[in-house]
Amino acid sequence: MLKNKKHSKKFSRPIVIISILGVILGVSVMVVTLSVAVGFQNKIKGKLLSFGNHIQIESMFQSNNNETSPIKTLNNSFDELNYAKYIDKAQKYAYKSAIIQSKNKFNLENNEVEGVIFKGLESLQKNSFLKKYIIMGKAPKISSEINDTIILSLEKCQKLNLQLNNKIAAFFISNGKPKQRNLVVGGIYETGLSKIDSRFAFIDLKYLQKINNWGTKLNPSYFFSKDSSIINFSVNNKNIYCDWGNNEITDENSIKISTEIDTQITLIGYELNNALEKKLITIPDTLIISFTKNKKTITYENIPGSGQYYSGGIEIFLKNTAERHLIKDDLKLKFGPEYKITTIDEQHEEIFSWLNLIYKNVYIILGLMIAVAIINMSCALLVLIVEKTKMIGILKALGIKNSSLIKIFATHGGLLLSFGFIGGNILAIIIIKLQNQFEFLKLSQENYYLDTVPMEYPILSILVLNIFTFLFCFLAMMLPSLISSRISPIKAINSDI
């Protein structure tokens, strides 16, 4: 390009540099804003997943908002969930409200009580959420025996002056009657979601199944005759009708067998409304009783009872969370109207509304930053056109086409814009890396549910943002480029610029 000896580049260079710096700052703000928005979404959703995963299946007929009514999981529809291609895993859970009070002998003056909702899980140790947010103690191991160890929030522990391994008294309501149980604090967790931390505690699912009296569990006993030739087996449950392996349901609660032979009895216990109607109240329990003649030993199989086939609900983790609403509709068709099927969005509607509001702010910021980038680069291009007015006149006098002239300035503007976008992305990456490593940007956890600003780098979203923003800015710069084609050659050559 031709130089004007009078002005050289002293006139345009500072303006061009300032414009590029403006684009750098604008692009970095856009990328960081998107990074923070995605970080907030993922961090808070990750915390919510422990309380209500991607999709929950519960009974439509809930007697209490803080408790789950039992559903029978002994059917093919529930078994097939673990094999569906779009489901990562499905597990049982239950909610049960209670009042808890400290039993710490050193804390007798504190008689405060707190309400809590116990969430029963099949496995506490395999729960990735609990592993992440337990700050003291550990998740209790769940085995065939019912575990009375719980995981309580830090907020509840502070209110009741509780520490690890302290005992608490828990008061439940079951079948209209209060029940007191002693539990042990085995772990303390904190998520920062104060509204949820203040409500939930975690416990073995089998414990809640037992408290709620879901299903039937046979309680057998036996005694030998005086000469040890006969064993008398009996069932100590009330209102139980038995099938002692002969396909006959009877109210006889005992049977006698000889000790001279090895014997195995498949006992089925039915909880019926009465002997005539024989209407089942719960799923029957099957207990296998074996007697070995030589060792004179009695063993039982299938001890847990039919309560294991009841659950408050099924929570589902999906492989692709974006498809959760479509999968929910499919599950509704499959399970029918007797089940309530909800997504995580519906379970925590307030928090998700707040997260969506953050994205609205992101769109506003992105729009403003794009406008700033367009104005900056358009001004810089206009300055270049004004500075090169005489050069434009000479080129037009030599016969250059308007399209070629527009192409020169558009290419120059695109090059300057590229410098701004590259610099802006580099600056944004540096900010994100520093924040993730040193966490120097802090937040009020009470208001934002997080103590530091979360930043992630969603490559695909940022790449799409850069491409569309660059194209939009580049097309917007065509307007000042068109001005160069309208300059009169005679006036341009005679100009003092």
Side-chain angles (χ1 to χ4, degrees):
M1 286 189 179
L2 300 177
K3 295 184 179 179
N4 186 309
K5 292 181 180 179
K6 184 178 179 181
H7 293 281
S8 187
K9 295 183 179 179
K10 293 181 180 178
F11 177 64
S12 64
R13 180 175 288 175
I15 296 175
V16 170
I17 292 173
I18 292 171
S19 298
I20 292 174
L21 288 175
V23 173
I24 290 173
L25 290 175
V27 170
S28 63
V29 168
M30 285 192 292
V31 173
V32 169
T33 301
L34 183 61
S35 170
V36 171
V38 172
F40 261 106
Q41 287 271 7
N42 292 340
K43 287 285 185 181
I44 294 176
K45 282 181 182 179
K47 292 182 178 185
L48 292 173
L49 286 180
S50 85
F51 302 102
N53 294 292
H54 301 135
I55 295 177
Q56 285 186 335
I57 302 175
E58 298 177 347
S59 171
M60 181 61 75
F61 311 103
Q62 301 284 0
S63 58
N64 187 327
N65 290 333
N66 295 327
E67 296 187 12
T68 45
S69 298
I71 59 175
K72 299 176 183 178
T73 59
L74 193 61
N75 63 56
N76 293 331
S77 296
F78 288 108
D79 292 337
E80 290 170 1
L81 289 175
N82 285 308
Y83 302 101
K85 61 181 180 180
Y86 51 79
I87 292 177
D88 185 27
K89 65 176 179 178
Q91 61 184 20
K92 301 176 185 177
Y93 73 94
Y95 291 129
K96 182 73 176 177
S97 57
I99 295 174
I100 58 175
Q101 184 179 30
S102 172
K103 292 195 72 177
N104 187 355
K105 63 181 179 180
F106 301 108
N107 189 31
L108 295 177
E109 294 181 0
N110 184 3
N111 292 319
E112 289 188 17
V113 296
E114 288 286 327
V116 72
I117 299 174
F118 283 103
K119 182 175 183 180
L121 296 173
E122 285 186 285
S123 175
L124 296 174
Q125 286 195 325
K126 292 182 180 179
N127 189 297
S128 58
F129 162 81
L130 292 176
K131 286 183 178 179
K132 187 173 183 179
Y133 293 107
I134 287 181
I135 57 175
M136 285 182 274
K138 59 181 181 179
K141 186 176 181 180
I142 294 178
S143 60
S144 57
E145 298 294 326
I146 296 177
N147 199 319
D148 62 356
T149 306
I150 66 169
I151 301 173
L152 204 58
S153 70
L154 178 64
E155 183 177 339
K156 287 294 184 188
C157 290
Q158 289 174 341
K159 287 182 178 179
L160 297 176
N161 279 332
L162 290 170
Q163 296 179 353
L164 284 178
N165 302 319
N166 283 172
K167 290 184 178 180
I168 66 166
F171 302 90
F172 300 92
I173 299 295
S174 179
N175 297 327
K177 298 179 181 178
K179 288 185 178 181
Q180 179 185 344
R181 294 292 184 271
N182 295 327
L183 304 171
V184 179
V185 179
I188 299 174
Y189 78 93
E190 183 185 27
T191 68
L193 301 172
S194 57
K195 291 182 180 179
I196 295 179
D197 284 4
S198 63
R199 296 177 62 201
F200 287 92
F202 297 89
I203 195 170
D204 182 0
L205 175 62
K206 291 192 291 294
Y207 200 97
L208 298 188
Q209 289 170 335
K210 181 181 178 182
I211 287 289
N212 288 321
N213 292 321
W214 289 345
T216 303
K217 183 176 180 180
L218 296 171
N219 298 316
S221 62
Y222 64 90
F223 63 88
F224 288 88
S225 62
K226 291 182 179 179
D227 58 0
S228 297
S229 62
I230 299 294
I231 306 175
N232 190 314
F233 286 101
S234 61
V235 176
N236 301 324
N237 302 67
K238 294 181 179 179
N239 303 320
I240 289 290
Y241 293 80
C242 299
D243 177 355
W244 292 96
N246 53 8
N247 296 322
E248 291 185 9
I249 300 175
T250 175
D251 58 359
E252 286 290 332
N253 67 342
S254 63
I255 190 173
K256 295 179 180 179
I257 65 170
S258 172
T259 58
E260 300 299 320
I261 56 173
D262 293 340
T263 306
Q264 185 178 82
I265 302 171
T266 301
L267 170 63
I268 303 176
Y270 298 87
E271 189 175 1
L272 306 176
N273 59 340
N274 58 62
L276 295 176
E277 295 182 14
K278 294 183 179 180
K279 184 178 179 181
L280 275 172
I281 298 175
T282 62
I283 297 174
D285 183 28
T286 301
L287 183 66
I288 299 174
I289 306 170
S290 300
F291 172 73
T292 306
K293 169 187 171 184
N294 295 333
K295 296 182 179 180
K296 301 292 183 183
T297 57
I298 298 171
T299 58
Y300 300 102
E301 295 179 35
N302 199 33
I303 295 295
S306 64
Q308 61 186 306
Y309 304 117
Y310 282 91
S311 173
I314 304 291
E315 53 187 13
I316 298 171
F317 295 84
L318 301 177
K319 293 177 180 177
N320 184 0
T321 59
E323 298 177 350
R324 60 185 179 275
H325 294 290
L326 294 174
I327 295 170
K328 170 195 167 182
D329 294 337
D330 289 341
L331 292 174
K332 275 189 170 182
L333 293 174
K334 182 176 182 178
F335 284 92
E338 62 181 302
Y339 293 100
K340 177 185 176 184
I341 302 176
T342 55
T343 63
I344 185 173
D345 314 56
E346 297 163 334
Q347 297 154 23
H348 305 282
E349 193 171 351
E350 284 185 15
I351 295 178
F352 273 86
S353 297
W354 174 69
L355 290 175
N356 291 331
L357 185 61
I358 290 176
Y359 263 112
K360 289 182 181 179
N361 295 333
V362 170
Y363 299 141
I364 294 172
I365 293 172
L366 293 180
L368 291 174
M369 290 301 102
I370 291 172
V372 169
I374 291 172
I375 293 170
N376 278 331
M377 295 315 301
S378 296
C379 289
L381 201 56
L382 282 172
V383 169
L384 286 173
I385 292 170
V386 170
E387 187 185 40
K388 303 299 179 183
T389 301
K390 184 166 287 192
M391 183 204 74
I392 293 169
I394 294 171
L395 290 174
K396 293 190 79 171
L398 292 173
I400 192 171
K401 293 181 179 179
N402 286 337
S403 59
S404 299
L405 199 59
I406 293 171
K407 187 177 180 181
I408 290 171
F409 284 100
T411 304
H412 196 65
L415 188 62
L416 296 177
L417 196 63
S418 299
F419 290 148
F421 269 75
I422 292 170
N425 278 277
I426 292 173
L427 179 59
I429 291 171
I430 292 172
I431 293 171
I432 293 169
K433 292 287 185 184
L434 290 174
Q435 171 63 13
N436 289 337
Q437 185 170 354
F438 300 107
E439 297 183 341
F440 54 88
L441 297 176
K442 301 294 184 181
L443 290 172
S444 169
Q445 188 163 268
E446 292 181 0
N447 296 325
Y448 295 97
Y449 309 123
L450 299 170
D451 56 359
T452 61
V453 176
M455 290 188 184
E456 296 187 12
Y457 197 81
I459 296 175
L460 184 60
S461 298
I462 290 174
L463 185 62
V464 171
L465 174 66
N466 274 275
I467 291 172
F468 278 95
T469 305
F470 183 87
L471 291 175
F472 194 76
C473 292
F474 184 76
L475 291 172
M477 284 196 307
M478 294 302 292
L479 182 61
S481 298
L482 290 171
I483 294 174
S484 65
S485 66
R486 295 179 176 273
I487 295 175
S488 171
I490 297 173
K491 291 181 179 179
I493 293 171
N494 292 329
S495 68
D496 293 330
I497 300 176

